[in-house]
């Protein structure tokens, strides 16, 4: 990070008792190239603390206030050191409610938030009705939770830890692995039917708390800028769960088409395949709201 010197133009040298709140103008001078730099023959100190008393050089009628260094905690300094490697994603939250044709409804929450030291937290929870009980399809009878904590280490790759939880006893799974978010500029043209941003992600978990198992996971999202004035988008995931003691592979995948009808509000249709369920395939129309 380039040093930044903060210069405050204050009252004349006779006003030596002036407080920081009385300063008329504050200006920043970035990238001066050293930790201390001479400005109008006076030394300024980077990272000034506006709560401390300034010093006004006596020979300047429109003085340059010199502030002492602001003390930063070890956690703040460590966070600054890692700040350039924070994963993308920002802070967001959404909610969905849909009607699965297998006879149950799903209330879905998903969100992402940055954490200190370059980490980020992403996760979702599904609250589902009992499969096959159409008469009481809105009654929540089971849940599924997934939480990821990850940190970028080099370019678009990093480490990731995941927790899965399903209703019932001893159904928790912990995973440790790596993620990769490749560059997709070539798949995000600015014109034509395919115009719009395309994002792709890969997660690989060779280590799980349940022995002899692992997972590959792909996720994607696509904005269609040239369709319906940019109101159409799509996305989904594909999880491949494998058992190293056998050739068994179990697939869970969901893919969604969205139409934005108002700011933050989308109509959605989701296509689902879950080989852990008796009735594997489902289609679920619903609504989504992004806060």
């Amino acid at each position: 990070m380039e040093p930044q010197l903060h210069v405050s133009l204050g009252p004349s040298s006779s006003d030596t008792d002036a407080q920081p709140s009385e300063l008329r103008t504050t200006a920043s001078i970035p990238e001066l190239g050293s930790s201390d730099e001479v400005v109008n023959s006076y030394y300024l100190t980077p990272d000034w603390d506006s709560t401390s008393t300034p010093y006004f050089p006596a020979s300047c009628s429109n003085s340059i206030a010199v502030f002492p260094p602001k003390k930063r905690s070890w956690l703040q300094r460590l966070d600054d050191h890692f700040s350039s490697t924070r994963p993308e994603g920002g802070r967001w939250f959404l909610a969905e409610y849909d009607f699965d044709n297998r006879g149950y409804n799903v209330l879905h929450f998903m969100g992402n938030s940055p954490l200190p030291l370059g980490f980020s937290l992403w996760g979702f929870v599904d609250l589902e009705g009992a499969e096959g009980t159409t008469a009481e399809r809105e009654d929540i009878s089971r849940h599924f939770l997934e939480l990821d904590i990850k940190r970028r280490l080099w370019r678009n790759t990093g480490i990731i830890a995941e927790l899965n939880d399903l209703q019932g006893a001893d159904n928790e799974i912990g995973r440790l692995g790596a993620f990769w978010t490749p560059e997709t500029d070539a798949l995000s043209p600015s014109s034509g039917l395919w115009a719009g941003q395309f994002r792709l992600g890969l997660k690989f978990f060779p280590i799980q708390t349940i022995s002899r198992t692992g997972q590959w996971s792909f996720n994607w999202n696509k904005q269609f800028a040239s369709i319906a004035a940019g109101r159409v988008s799509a996305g989904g995931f594909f999880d491949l769960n494998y058992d190293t003691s056998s050739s068994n592979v179990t697939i869970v995948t969901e893919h969604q088409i969205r139409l934005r009808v108002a700011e933050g509000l989308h109509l959605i249709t989701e296509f689902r395949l879950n080989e852990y369920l008796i009735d594997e395939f489902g289609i679920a129309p619903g609504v989504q709201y992004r806060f």
Side-chain angles (χ1 to χ4, degrees):
M1 179 183 295
E2 295 290 342
Q4 290 224 357
L5 305 186
H6 302 268
V7 181
S8 293
L9 301 180
S12 65
S13 58
S14 61
D15 299 323
T16 54
D17 295 330
Q19 297 300 311
S21 60
E22 300 174 28
L23 300 179
R24 293 196 300 270
T25 307
T26 299
S28 297
I29 304 178
E31 302 178 359
L32 289 180
S34 63
S35 59
D36 292 311
E37 190 76 17
V38 176
V39 176
N40 288 347
S41 299
Y42 297 106
Y43 279 96
L44 303 181
T45 306
D47 202 12
W48 59 275
D49 186 350
S50 61
T51 63
S52 61
T53 303
Y55 162 68
F56 299 105
S59 61
C60 185
S61 61
N62 192 21
S63 302
I64 296 178
V66 182
F67 293 84
K70 180 181 178 181
K71 294 182 179 180
R72 297 177 64 79
S73 69
W74 67 269
L75 187 61
Q76 289 173 317
R77 294 195 299 270
L78 192 60
D79 189 38
D80 287 344
H81 177 72
F82 288 123
S83 62
S84 62
T85 58
R86 283 183 177 159
E88 297 180 359
R91 182 177 286 107
W92 54 267
F93 179 77
L94 63 81
E96 295 177 359
Y97 192 74
D98 58 52
F99 306 85
D100 196 292
N101 70 327
R102 288 169 289 186
Y104 61 91
N105 297 356
V106 179
L107 179 60
H108 172 88
F109 299 101
M110 179 185 293
N112 189 85
S113 179
L115 298 175
L117 306 181
F119 288 88
S120 67
L121 174 66
W122 172 91
F124 72 87
V125 59
D126 286 341
L127 305 175
E128 302 178 352
E131 183 179 2
T133 57
T134 307
E136 298 178 348
R137 58 183 302 150
E138 72 279 1
D139 294 342
I140 296 174
S141 64
R142 59 186 181 185
H143 76 272
F144 180 78
L145 170 72
E146 181 171 314
L147 293 175
D148 287 357
I149 295 180
K150 62 181 180 179
R151 189 188 188 286
R152 187 171 301 183
L153 295 180
W154 182 74
R155 293 189 178 180
N156 296 325
T157 61
I159 57 173
I160 183 170
E162 182 173 289
L163 172 66
N164 291 166
D165 180 54
L166 187 66
Q167 83 285 345
D170 300 323
N171 284 328
E172 301 83 6
I173 301 176
R175 296 186 170 107
L176 182 64
F179 73 90
W180 177 42
T181 307
E183 298 290 344
T184 55
D185 291 346
L187 299 175
S188 304
S190 58
S191 61
L193 185 62
W194 191 252
Q197 185 183 36
F198 178 75
R199 295 197 305 270
L200 180 66
L202 168 66
K203 298 185 292 185
F204 172 52
F205 296 105
I207 302 173
Q208 295 192 165
T209 53
I210 298 179
S211 61
R212 301 186 306 277
T213 62
Q215 184 189 81
W216 286 89
S217 180
F218 302 88
N219 61 83
W220 65 281
N221 191 77
K222 173 64 181 175
Q223 301 288 333
F224 294 95
S226 63
I227 300 178
R231 294 177 177 270
V232 176
S233 61
F237 71 88
F238 182 94
D239 289 350
L240 190 152
N241 304 279
Y242 62 89
D243 188 337
T244 57
S245 64
S246 67
S247 59
N248 292 337
V249 173
T250 305
I251 294 173
V252 178
T253 183
E254 297 180 1
H255 303 275
Q256 181 183 93
I257 299 175
R258 300 177 290 266
L259 173 64
R260 178 165 50 87
V261 295
E263 185 65 30
L265 180 64
H266 298 78
L267 299 179
I268 62 174
T269 300
E270 190 161 287
F271 304 89
R272 298 167 172 164
L273 174 66
N274 188 336
E275 294 185 342
Y276 288 110
L277 301 179
I278 298 175
D279 193 357
E280 298 179 354
F281 181 74
I283 300 176
V287 294
Q288 178 195 93
Y289 189 81
R290 182 179 288 264
F291 296 88

